[in-house]
Amino acid sequence: MLTTATLGLLCWGLYSALWAIGDLIRGARLEWWAEAGQIAFGVLLALAAALVRVRMPGGLALAVGGLLGLQSLAVHNAVHLESGLAPQIAQGVLGVVLVGLTLAAPSRGGTQT
């Protein structure tokens, strides 16, 4: 479960950052600060995925911060790109599922009962 959550967080972060970079190259449809924020939060989420994988203290909090930052920018982008509410709901559900998978994964150390 932890590997699935890690790959999901990594792919989401890389996709978000690369989408914003591609949008800047093609001709930005959004404000520069929104594109820069999406790149920053995407990179943050991709880096946090590695910390989540090794169960570094604070790694999940960093990943949740990246997810919330991307979600807030997605709400802004939906207004400009006229994509509607459905993608926002799907992104929120996916974020909750990924965090839930991370929390449900058994810890690697300690005693087993």
Side-chain angles (χ1 to χ4, degrees), residues 7 11 13 15-16 20 27 29 38 40 49 51 56 59 66 77 83-84 86 93 101:
L7 288 174
C11 289
Y15 170 79
S16 297
R29 297 178 289 172
Q38 190 158 349
L51 298 178
M56 178 80 64
N77 297 348
S83 59
V93 168
L101 283 173

Side-chain angles (χ1 to χ4, degrees), residues 1-2 5 52 55 60 64 96-107:
M1 284 193 284
L2 187 59
V52 165
R55 297 243 184 220
L60 183 58
V64 169
V96 168
V97 167
L98 290 174
V99 170
L101 283 173
T102 302
L103 291 173
S107 63

Side-chain angles (χ1 to χ4, degrees), residues 59-71:
L60 183 58
L62 192 63
V64 169
L67 287 171
L68 290 174
L70 286 173
Q71 185 66 33

Side-chain angles (χ1 to χ4, degrees), residues 21-93:
I21 291 169
D23 194 44
L24 284 172
I25 291 171
R26 287 189 311 264
R29 297 178 289 172
L30 303 170
E31 294 92 350
W32 69 267
W33 61 265
E35 301 282 10
Q38 190 158 349
I39 293 168
F41 284 122
V43 169
L44 176 72
L45 184 58
L47 292 175
L51 298 178
V52 165
R53 179 68 181 113
V54 297
R55 297 243 184 220
M56 178 80 64
L60 183 58
L62 192 63
V64 169
L67 287 171
L68 290 174
L70 286 173
Q71 185 66 33
S72 66
L73 283 171
V75 171
H76 168 266
N77 297 348
V79 173
H80 288 288
L81 302 177
E82 299 176 3
S83 59
L85 184 63
Q88 305 309 311
I89 294 171
Q91 261 188 329
V93 168

Side-chain angles (χ1 to χ4, degrees), residues 3-20:
T3 302
T4 303
T6 301
L7 288 174
L9 293 171
L10 178 68
C11 289
W12 191 343
L14 290 177
Y15 170 79
S16 297
L18 292 175
W19 183 87

